[in-house]
Coordinates of all heavy atoms in Angstrom, one line a residue:
F108 N -10.2 -13.8 -2.5 CA -9.4 -13.2 -3.5 C -9.8 -11.7 -3.8 O -8.9 -10.9 -4.0 CB -9.5 -14.0 -4.8 CG -8.5 -15.2 -4.9 CD1 -8.9 -16.4 -4.4 CD2 -7.3 -15.0 -5.5 CE1 -8.0 -17.4 -4.5 CE2 -6.4 -16.0 -5.6 CZ -6.7 -17.3 -5.1
K109 N -11.1 -11.4 -3.7 CA -11.5 -10.0 -3.9 C -11.0 -9.2 -2.7 O -10.6 -8.0 -2.9 CB -13.0 -10.0 -4.0 CG -13.6 -10.4 -5.3 CD -15.1 -10.3 -5.3 CE -15.7 -10.8 -6.6 NZ -17.2 -10.7 -6.7
A110 N -11.1 -9.7 -1.5 CA -10.7 -8.9 -0.3 C -9.2 -8.7 -0.4 O -8.6 -7.7 -0.1 CB -11.0 -9.7 1.0
F111 N -8.4 -9.7 -0.8 CA -7.0 -9.6 -1.0 C -6.7 -8.6 -2.0 O -5.7 -7.8 -1.8 CB -6.5 -11.0 -1.5 CG -5.0 -11.0 -1.9 CD1 -4.0 -10.8 -1.0 CD2 -4.7 -11.3 -3.2 CE1 -2.7 -10.9 -1.4 CE2 -3.4 -11.4 -3.6 CZ -2.4 -11.2 -2.7
A112 N -7.4 -8.5 -3.1 CA -7.2 -7.5 -4.2 C -7.4 -6.1 -3.6 O -6.6 -5.2 -3.9 CB -8.1 -7.8 -5.4
R113 N -8.5 -5.9 -2.9 CA -8.8 -4.6 -2.4 C -7.7 -4.1 -1.3 O -7.4 -3.0 -1.2 CB -10.2 -4.5 -1.7 CG -11.3 -4.7 -2.7 CD -11.2 -3.8 -3.9 NE -11.5 -2.4 -3.5 CZ -12.7 -1.9 -3.5 NH1 -13.8 -2.6 -3.9 NH2 -12.9 -0.6 -3.2
A114 N -7.2 -5.1 -0.6 CA -6.2 -4.8 0.4 C -4.9 -4.4 -0.3 O -4.2 -3.5 0.1 CB -5.9 -6.1 1.3
I115 N -4.6 -5.1 -1.4 CA -3.4 -4.7 -2.3 C -3.6 -3.3 -2.8 O -2.7 -2.5 -2.7 CB -3.2 -5.7 -3.4 CG1 -2.7 -7.1 -2.9 CG2 -2.4 -5.2 -4.5 CD1 -2.5 -8.1 -4.0
K116 N -4.8 -3.1 -3.3 CA -5.0 -1.7 -3.9 C -4.8 -0.6 -2.9 O -4.1 0.4 -3.2 CB -6.5 -1.7 -4.3 CG -6.9 -0.4 -5.0 CD -8.3 -0.4 -5.4 CE -8.7 0.9 -6.1 NZ -10.1 0.9 -6.6
M117 N -5.1 -0.9 -1.6 CA -4.9 0.1 -0.6 C -3.4 0.2 -0.2 O -2.9 1.3 -0.1 CB -5.7 -0.3 0.7 CG -5.8 0.8 1.8 SD -6.7 0.2 3.2 CE -8.3 -0.1 2.4
A118 N -2.8 -1.0 -0.1 CA -1.4 -1.0 0.4 C -0.3 -0.5 -0.6 O 0.6 0.1 -0.2 CB -1.0 -2.4 0.8
V119 N -0.6 -0.7 -1.9 CA 0.4 -0.2 -2.9 C 0.1 1.2 -3.3 O 0.9 1.8 -4.1 CB 0.4 -1.2 -4.2 CG1 0.7 -2.5 -3.7 CG2 -0.9 -1.1 -4.9
R120 N -0.9 1.8 -2.9 CA -1.2 3.2 -3.2 C 0.0 4.1 -2.8 O 0.6 3.9 -1.8 CB -2.4 3.7 -2.5 CG -2.9 5.1 -2.9 CD -4.1 5.6 -2.1 NE -5.3 4.7 -2.3 CZ -6.0 4.2 -1.3 NH1 -5.8 4.5 0.0 NH2 -7.0 3.4 -1.6
K121 N 0.4 5.0 -3.7 CA 1.6 5.7 -3.5 C 1.3 7.2 -3.4 O 0.5 7.8 -4.2 CB 2.6 5.5 -4.7 CG 4.0 5.9 -4.4 CD 4.9 5.4 -5.5 CE 6.4 5.7 -5.2 NZ 7.3 5.2 -6.2
D122 N 2.0 7.9 -2.5 CA 1.9 9.4 -2.4 C 3.1 10.0 -3.0 O 4.0 9.2 -3.5 CB 1.6 9.9 -1.0 CG 2.8 9.4 0.0 OD1 3.9 9.4 -0.5 OD2 2.4 9.1 1.1
D123 N 3.3 11.3 -3.0 CA 4.4 11.9 -3.6 C 5.5 12.2 -2.6 O 6.5 12.9 -2.9 CB 4.0 13.3 -4.2 CG 3.0 13.0 -5.4 OD1 3.1 12.0 -6.1 OD2 2.1 13.9 -5.6
S124 N 5.4 11.7 -1.4 CA 6.4 12.1 -0.3 C 7.7 11.4 -0.5 O 8.8 11.9 -0.2 CB 5.8 11.7 1.1 OG 5.7 10.3 1.2
G125 N 7.6 10.1 -1.1 CA 8.8 9.4 -1.2 C 9.4 8.9 0.1 O 10.6 8.5 0.2
I126 N 8.6 8.9 1.2 CA 9.0 8.6 2.5 C 9.0 7.1 2.7 O 8.0 6.4 2.3 CB 8.2 9.3 3.6 CG1 8.4 10.8 3.4 CG2 8.6 8.8 5.0 CD1 7.4 11.6 4.4
M127 N 10.0 6.5 3.3 CA 10.0 5.1 3.6 C 9.0 4.8 4.7 O 9.0 5.5 5.8 CB 11.4 4.7 4.1 CG 11.4 3.2 4.5 SD 11.3 2.1 3.1 CE 12.7 2.5 2.2
P128 N 7.9 4.0 4.5 CA 6.9 3.8 5.5 C 7.3 2.9 6.6 O 6.7 1.9 6.9 CB 5.8 3.1 4.6 CG 6.5 2.4 3.6 CD 7.7 3.2 3.3
S129 N 8.4 3.3 7.3 CA 8.9 2.5 8.4 C 9.8 3.4 9.3 O 10.5 4.2 8.8 CB 9.8 1.3 7.9 OG 10.4 0.7 9.0
T130 N 9.6 3.3 10.6 CA 10.4 4.0 11.5 C 11.9 3.6 11.5 O 12.8 4.3 11.9 CB 9.9 3.9 13.0 OG1 9.8 2.5 13.3 CG2 8.5 4.5 13.1
K131 N 12.1 2.4 11.0 CA 13.5 1.9 10.9 C 14.3 2.5 9.7 O 15.5 2.4 9.5 CB 13.5 0.4 10.7 CG 13.0 -0.3 12.0 CD 12.9 -1.8 11.8 CE 12.4 -2.5 13.0 NZ 12.4 -4.0 12.8
G132 N 13.5 3.1 8.7 CA 14.1 3.7 7.5 C 14.4 2.7 6.4 O 15.0 3.1 5.4

């Protein structure tokens, strides 16, 4: 559960680019 939480923390981090994180768009 702790590892899951830290993975979530990393994955939902947001930058200011507003770019879709996928080559498919």
